[in-house]
């Protein structure tokens, strides 16, 4: 069969078996001293990035609880962040100034949330995949 290319020229279909070489499929297998017996054929896989709603739910609760403790002049970090959102929405079309406290609370609150979610992902996946038992 032929495949039509740009400009109306035709190119015949290429046989893919003609391109096999020893570089693509090595015939000899090197011994890996770091290979763990029975661990996915000696390849290291990244299964940590799989989505799990347990981690998101518990991570959010795990961050909302400590960030809601009134530790900053009798106010909580979550309260200060949401209060600054309300203050900035009061003059909505105008964006927050660079000197606004909103940016401090935004960065601090989200940094804590993402750290909590990261450690939650490591801990939850590590426990379900018996990473800490070895």
């Amino acid at each position: 069969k032929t495949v039509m290319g740009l400009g109306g020229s035709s190119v015949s279909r290429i046989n893919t078996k003609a391109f096999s070489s020893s570089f693509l499929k090595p015939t000899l297998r090197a011994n890996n001293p770091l290979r763990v017996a029975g661990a996915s054929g000696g390849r290291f896989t990244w299964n940590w990035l799989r989505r799990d709603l347990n981690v998101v739910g518990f991570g959010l609760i795990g961050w909302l609880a400590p960030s809601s403790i009134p530790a900053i002049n009798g106010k909580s970090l979550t309260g200060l962040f949401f209060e600054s959102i309300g203050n900035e929405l009061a003059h909505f079309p105008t964006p927050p100034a660079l000197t606004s406290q909103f940016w401090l609370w935004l960065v601090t609150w989200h940094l804590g949330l993402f750290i909590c979610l990261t450690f939650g992902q490591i801990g939850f996946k590590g426990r379900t995949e018996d990473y800490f038992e070895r």
Side-chain angles (χ1 to χ4, degrees):
K1 293 183 177 183
T2 60
V3 178
M4 296 298 293
L6 295 176
S9 65
S10 63
V11 179
S12 63
R13 181 169 278 173
I14 300 170
N15 186 2
T16 56
K17 297 210 180 228
F19 288 115
S20 64
S21 72
S22 62
F23 291 110
L24 297 177
K25 292 183 179 180
T27 55
L28 295 176
R29 189 167 223 192
N31 288 333
N32 185 358
L34 300 176
R35 180 179 172 200
V36 178
S40 68
R43 293 183 309 260
F44 185 76
T45 58
W46 284 95
N47 291 331
W48 294 91
L49 299 177
R50 289 182 299 183
R51 182 182 62 174
D52 193 348
L53 297 179
N54 288 328
V55 174
V56 174
F58 287 125
L60 185 61
I61 292 169
W63 174 240
L64 279 175
S67 69
S68 297
I69 297 171
I72 306 169
N73 295 330
K75 294 185 176 182
S76 67
L77 178 61
T78 302
L80 288 169
F81 177 48
F82 291 154
E83 181 182 329
S84 69
I85 291 173
N87 292 338
E88 295 301 328
L89 284 176
H91 54 85
F92 168 63
T94 308
L98 290 177
T99 57
S100 175
Q101 287 286 313
F102 166 75
W103 298 112
L104 174 67
W105 305 133
L106 175 101
V107 170
T108 306
W109 195 87
H110 281 90
L111 184 67
L113 175 66
F114 295 145
I115 289 171
C116 190
L117 288 173
T118 301
F119 284 136
Q121 181 80 345
I122 291 169
F124 191 85
K125 290 296 178 186
R127 187 170 179 172
T128 58
E129 295 178 6
D130 294 331
Y131 181 77
F132 302 114
E133 300 296 324
R134 294 181 192 164

